[in-house]
Amino acid sequence: MRTSTSTSRLRACSGTAFVFVIAMGGIPSPSAYAQCSTISPALYRADDGGSQDKLGTSVAVGNGRALLGAPGHPNFTETGAVYALEATSNGWSAAGKLIAADGELGDMFGSAIAIDGQWAIVGAKGAAAAYIFRRDGNSWTQAQKLVPPSSAPFFGFAVALSGNTAVVGAYGALSYSGNAFVYEYDGTSWQISGTLSPPAPEAYDLFGAAVGASPDFVAVGAYGKGDGVVYMFARSGAVWTLVEELQPNDVGTNDAFGRVLGLSGNTLVSGTPKHDSVGSSSGAAYVYRFDGALWQFDAKLVGSDTGFDDRFGSSVSVSGDVIVVGAPFWDDASGISNRGVAYSFSYDGTDWVEGEKLLAYSPYGWYDDSFGNAVAVADGVAIAGAAFADGPGRDAGHVYTFEMQCATSASDCVSNIDCNDNDACTTDTCSGGTCSYVNNSASCNDGNACTTNDTCSGGSCSGTPLDCDDGVACTTDSCSQGTCVNDASTCECIGNADCNDGNPCTFDSCSGGSCSNV
């Protein structure tokens, strides 16, 4: 069986979003094989932000627009706000500030966000509501407020949006067994079209703590159900039907499989932040692909340098063949604890290959910032939240954007390092997504005409001296300006004729440059 429901409603204020941008110098060093590289990283902080705003608790990006959730805004009230950005030829610029028309203290508007085209949905888990916003002209306008048809604590904790379908999770419903609600836009308003539940609900399944939506599927995570389960629903006419239950065979009860989800087309990613992949709670992310009939396990992702309690998989996002995974409790090599990091992966046609790490740059990346607590990727842009970063005010929160270039096949490249052929005698470069290899032998030409075959071997130049040996023992043989010189000045003779003494009674011969007349 399968059912799915979603509600959402957003609202935006007129005026500009109070966000300012700091362009950041320096790009992270690429990994050994950088399938994704990042350029033009930038930092965003709310100009009207303050302590406990937690900007970056949620992020969403798509179609040249980005939304940044600050559920604690303004200072300590937890009413909540969402800051909007628009892509311009000069980078990202402020494009309004969204707030709920009926927002109250403790609503935590902005605790979850999704965006698709002209629509956005914002969760307000404290109010058990979700808001739908529409982009009209140059501003976001609240279109509708969604509320569950029955009591559903934490409705709005998780939201997803795909075209005219919205999904809202409420993991607190039914004694925390949980529900998810699906909404459809009928051309006039968003109407509930299904209420999704696990097939055998039990208290604390936490079904609905994570949701995902694509044109054909809805995914709902229930990380409290046994060892964690992801339920896949498909539309059958006007009804959502449960079609599969996903669970890897190497997770345990406390691993939190299904705690966060990313769904794009036929690719699903499930974050499992407490999985002991390379240490206790180091974390993992599982990738599934729909083959036209079933969702098949595709890959298990682990960060190249994750370890104890890094919580890789606390946030995930997928767009086409690019995945970004956050590890907000990652400690960097210099000992900055819980600084946080996000990892990029791209599919090369065979494997998911890790690219550059996304990092907050000093002096902004610091202790307990939890960079990567929320991530989003779409259209060549990745966004990562650092909700506990300070400034302005403690835990005011920061958001970072990264322009990305990702290879889409094993033959593609995005940086020179992708083209390394391990031959020290070639110069390996990436241009226009294609590798080129130039042999360095030309640079080994020493300009000396008296050497030939100037080549590179093993990374070192070598050449062959011109052979000027004339076979005469008494000549001094050398090369000058590419011409052989055979100096016979030290020779008494070169041939027998040189030794003729005019005496027919002697045998005249030359040997070793000396005459013999016997």
Side-chain angles (χ1 to χ4, degrees), residues 62-91:
N63 302 108
R65 296 163 182 158
L67 297 176
L68 323 176
H73 182 78
N75 300 8
F76 299 97
T77 68
E78 293 189 335
T79 303
V82 172
Y83 295 85
L85 302 176
E86 294 271 335
T88 70
S89 58
N90 296 318

Side-chain angles (χ1 to χ4, degrees), residues 6-392:
S6 150
T7 321
S8 74
R9 166 122 176 212
L10 309 184
R11 151 186 180 196
C13 277
S14 59
T16 31
F18 301 98
V19 176
F20 67 89
V21 183
I22 300 175
M24 314 208 44
I27 305 270
S29 300
S31 60
Y33 186 73
Q35 279 291 102
C36 286
S37 64
T38 58
I39 57 175
S40 306
L43 161 67
Y44 294 82
R45 296 189 292 186
D47 219 6
D48 64 342
S51 296
Q52 302 300 316
D53 277 7
K54 297 185 175 66
L55 176 72
T57 294
S58 58
V59 293
V61 65
N63 302 108
R65 296 163 182 158
L67 297 176
L68 323 176
H73 182 78
N75 300 8
F76 299 97
T77 68
E78 293 189 335
T79 303
V82 172
Y83 295 85
L85 302 176
E86 294 271 335
T88 70
S89 58
N90 296 318
W92 293 86
S93 63
K97 179 180 175 183
L98 288 64
I99 60 173
D102 59 349
E104 297 179 354
L105 302 184
D107 281 356
M108 289 184 278
F109 173 90
S111 50
I113 309 173
I115 187 173
D116 190 18
Q118 64 182 343
W119 297 105
I121 182 171
V122 179
K125 65 179 182 180
Y131 295 80
I132 298 289
F133 284 82
R134 181 170 180 160
R135 182 68 176 175
D136 294 317
N138 295 320
S139 64
W140 288 97
T141 303
Q142 181 173 317
Q144 195 171 335
K145 178 181 180 180
L146 305 179
V147 294
S150 58
S151 176
F154 297 104
F155 177 91
F157 180 86
V159 297
L161 188 61
S162 177
N164 290 333
T165 301
V167 186
V168 183
Y171 72 84
L174 305 174
S175 299
Y176 292 90
S177 67
N179 281 142
F181 301 87
V182 181
Y183 295 80
E184 305 282 349
Y185 183 63
D186 63 8
T188 302
S189 63
W190 292 80
Q191 302 291 334
I192 190 166
S193 64
T195 299
L196 309 181
S197 302
E202 296 178 328
Y204 297 98
D205 283 347
L206 305 178
F207 179 95
V211 296
S214 71
D216 300 313
F217 294 97
V218 165
V220 183
Y223 73 96
K225 184 75 170 179
D227 294 339
V229 180
V230 174
Y231 297 91
M232 300 303 299
F233 296 85
R235 193 195 313 269
S236 177
V239 178
W240 289 93
T241 302
L242 176 63
V243 291
E244 273 190 89
E245 300 179 14
L246 307 178
Q247 183 184 73
N249 58 15
D250 65 342
V251 294
T253 303
N254 297 316
D255 286 356
F257 176 79
R259 173 62 183 81
V260 293
L261 298 175
L263 178 59
S264 173
N266 291 332
T267 303
L268 170 77
V269 185
S270 176
T272 311
K274 299 190 73 177
H275 184 55
D276 302 334
S277 53
V278 287
S280 179
S281 295
S282 55
Y286 293 83
V287 183
Y288 293 83
R289 295 270 200 161
F290 184 65
D291 65 4
L294 296 172
W295 286 88
Q296 304 283 3
F297 171 78
D298 190 47
K300 178 182 178 180
L301 306 181
V302 175
S304 56
D305 61 352
T306 50
F308 171 77
D309 203 36
D310 282 349
R311 310 283 178 93
F312 175 96
S314 292
S315 59
V316 298
S317 182
V318 56
S319 177
D321 285 333
V322 179
I323 293 172
V324 176
V325 182
F329 291 92
W330 177 83
D331 304 336
D332 79 0
S334 62
I336 302 178
S337 61
N338 300 336
R339 177 183 178 182
V341 67
Y343 298 81
S344 64
F345 298 83
S346 67
Y347 188 67
D348 67 4
T350 304
D351 300 308
W352 289 93
V353 182
E354 182 179 330
E356 290 181 6
K357 292 200 298 284
L358 310 183
L359 287 166
Y361 295 96
S362 185
Y364 302 104
W366 203 235
Y367 292 92
D368 299 322
D369 280 1
S370 293
F371 174 97
N373 60 259
V375 296
V377 62
D379 307 324
V381 177
I383 297 183
F388 297 95
D390 299 336

